[in-house]
Amino acid sequence: MIEQIMRNSDEFTRWRKDIHANPELGFEEQRTAELVAKKLESWGFDEVHRNIAKTGVVGVLRGHSPSDNSLDKSIGLRADMDALPMQELNEFDHRSQHQSRMHACGHDGHTVMLLAAAWYLSKHRNFSGTVYFIFQPAEEGLAGAKAMIDDGLFDRFPCERIYGVHNMPGIPEGDIWVKEGPFMASTDRFIIEITGKGGHGAMPHQAIDPVIIMAELINALQTIKSRNVQPTEPLVISVTDAHAGSGTHNVIPETAMLKGSIRAFNAEVSSLAIERMRQIAQGIALAHNAEIKVTIKDGSYPATINDTEATQVAHRAAVNVIGREKVATNFPPFTGSEDFSFFLQQVPGCYLFIGNGSEGKTGGVCVHNPLYDFNDRITPIGASYFVELVKQEMSAD
């Protein structure tokens, strides 16, 4: 790791805790974006651009080494800034100061990792080419990456490769997990609306009970994975919200609703799952003389597929920072989803995990948990990794 970054760890931790205490939801990251932009400007960045996809920030840093056509390239380094709409249950001093908003996924830490790398590289421009520091809004379900692309990100800041990181509880503190090819799953969010016929709970023969239909649907959807998809092909269909009725004990409701997600690593499998979901719903509706509407919601994320060459660069950088024994490449892909995938559809790149720890108050609590907190001890690792990427790509000393 880079000693100068290590020596400044306490300052980076103060930044991170300040962001954690003031979380902002997707496309509302005004305070965080301004904090980022002002720091980049104070460090003498060549350009700082605000308001990309509403609240995104891009800092442009050009190297001072003599230009060489073989090395004079441009790469992007990305961090996400948004929080989650959930109530924090931690009691430490830097807990969220806002109701129903929390940095429960570590985006506060991702932002500071990239800021720390920006701080260091602004003082050591011994590279040839241009680095774009991309601070992205709205990763959590709102596809902020796609919004930045639609707002001209790669037209204005053309990147030959792009890199990102995510902390991950459960992975040993400071270890890095990276692999080429499928790394994280796609996600398609669905809503299933069931319309039956309400009635008295004592006379179900006069009603069309959407609760019975809902229960049948939940079970039937699981047959898509077990009976329609090759057993070795990953697919997860999760019903995460089931709602019917108004709390009354003797009323059969008129309607019911299911929500959930489909996750896969293959676009054909995703399409098959959606098609079979519609067919199953149509068949069950016909069997019960009911109406069932299946809606695939906007905001679906494609699978995160790491480029081979970019992954090789990322692997070398990781090994140089923490040592080969702490870098893992042999693990199954994760079924979580990440909108960094939109960037990878446009530009070759690599996304990886840095271990948040496997025990204690940080490693023992999963992301999206009200007791989660980012592990500040891994900030120098992430920052040093970003710097080493620039060295690998642009021949910095």
Side-chain angles (χ1 to χ4, degrees):
M1 288 186 288
I2 297 171
E3 185 179 351
Q4 192 174 355
I5 290 176
M6 291 286 293
R7 289 201 305 265
N8 209 46
S9 291
D10 289 346
E11 181 70 9
F12 301 147
T13 297
R14 283 192 288 271
W15 299 351
R16 204 280 301 179
K17 289 182 176 180
D18 175 67
I19 296 172
H20 187 97
N22 295 278
E24 297 169 298
L25 301 181
F27 298 122
E28 298 175 5
E29 306 94 331
Q30 299 288 348
R31 182 185 186 277
T32 306
E34 190 60 20
L35 181 153
V36 166
K38 285 184 175 179
K39 287 190 181 299
L40 299 181
E41 289 170 340
S42 71
W43 299 331
F45 264 57
D46 297 287
E47 301 171 27
V48 177
H49 299 265
R50 294 169 168 83
N51 305 320
I52 302 170
K54 295 185 180 179
T55 49
V57 176
V58 175
V60 181
L61 191 69
R62 299 185 180 93
H64 288 168
S65 291
S67 179
D68 180 328
N69 289 337
S70 66
L71 300 171
D72 192 8
K73 60 174 63 175
S74 57
I75 65 170
L77 306 177
R78 173 268 203 174
D80 37 15
M81 300 186 294
D82 59 319
L84 282 157
M86 56 186 291
Q87 185 66 35
E88 181 162 8
L89 299 182
N90 288 308
E91 297 182 354
F92 43 58
D93 291 342
H94 64 276
R95 66 186 178 276
S96 173
Q97 301 302 303
H98 303 278
Q99 289 290 320
S100 302
R101 280 185 279 166
M102 177 190 176
H103 271 294
C105 203
H107 296 185
D108 49 343
H110 303 165
T111 297
V112 171
M113 281 181 180
L114 190 53
L115 278 176
W119 168 80
Y120 178 85
L121 286 168
S122 70
K123 300 175 181 295
H124 303 275
R125 298 198 190 194
N126 49 343
F127 59 90
S128 177
T130 303
V131 182
Y132 298 115
F133 291 79
I134 301 167
F135 294 87
Q136 179 208 309
E139 189 279 326
E140 294 289 357
L142 298 176
K146 184 177 185 300
M148 292 191 85
I149 294 168
D150 293 344
D151 203 16
L153 177 69
F154 293 128
D155 295 326
R156 298 170 62 184
F157 315 104
C159 300
E160 295 175 46
R161 290 196 181 115
I162 189 166
Y163 297 92
V165 304
H166 200 295
N167 81 96
M168 184 55 63
I171 296 176
E173 181 181 304
D175 282 14
I176 288 178
W177 287 21
V178 58
K179 67 186 302 179
E180 66 178 89
F183 187 75
M184 299 183 74
S186 63
T187 180
D188 292 283
R189 299 182 295 168
F190 63 82
I191 297 177
I192 301 177
E193 298 168 278
I194 305 165
T195 303
K197 180 181 178 183
H200 198 291
M203 293 171 279
H205 61 290
Q206 296 179 354
I208 299 174
D209 191 344
V211 177
I212 295 295
I213 298 170
M214 178 172 65
E216 189 172 329
L217 255 176
I218 291 172
N219 287 326
L221 293 179
Q222 299 309 312
T223 66
I224 298 174
K225 164 60 180 171
S226 65
R227 291 297 179 267
N228 299 127
V229 176
Q230 185 174 328
T232 56
E233 187 69 52
L235 174 68
V236 178
I237 299 177
S238 293
V239 175
T240 57
D241 185 6
H243 182 77
S246 58
T248 304
H249 293 273
N250 61 351
V251 174
I252 293 174
E254 186 87 6
T255 61
M257 182 176 66
L258 300 174
K259 293 182 181 179
S261 63
I262 303 167
R263 299 177 187 269
F265 298 97
N266 185 318
E268 292 182 1
V269 172
S270 297
S271 297
L272 171 63
I274 292 171
E275 180 184 4
R276 286 294 296 135
M277 179 177 289
R278 296 187 190 280
Q279 291 170 345
I280 289 170
Q282 184 179 23
I284 291 176
L286 182 63
H288 290 275
N289 197 25
E291 294 180 8
I292 302 179
K293 178 183 177 183
V294 177
T295 302
I296 304 300
K297 293 192 66 178
D298 292 338
S300 299
Y301 290 0
T304 302
I305 312 293
N306 283 336
D307 174 74
T308 297
E309 291 186 7
T311 303
Q312 291 170 352
V313 174
H315 184 268
R316 287 197 302 270
V319 167
N320 285 351
V321 171
I322 61 173
R324 189 173 302 276
E325 71 282 355
K326 290 179 68 64
V327 179
T329 59
N330 186 20
F331 53 90
F334 284 72
T335 50
S337 302
E338 164 62 55
D339 78 345
F340 191 81
S341 55
F342 288 106
F343 293 141
L344 294 178
Q345 288 185 328
Q346 303 292 319
V347 177
C350 181
Y351 194 70
L352 56 72
F353 291 145
I354 300 179
N356 205 53
S358 54
E359 56 186 20
K361 292 184 177 179
T362 51
V365 178
C366 188
V367 293
H368 292 221
N369 184 295
L371 293 173
Y372 166 86
D373 193 27
F374 180 81
N375 185 346
D376 292 298
R377 291 188 296 274
I378 70 173
T379 296
I381 298 172
S384 297
Y385 163 73
F386 279 132
V387 173
E388 183 66 20
L389 281 175
V390 175
K391 175 181 177 180
Q392 292 289 325
E393 289 277 28
M394 298 178 170
S395 192
D397 291 334

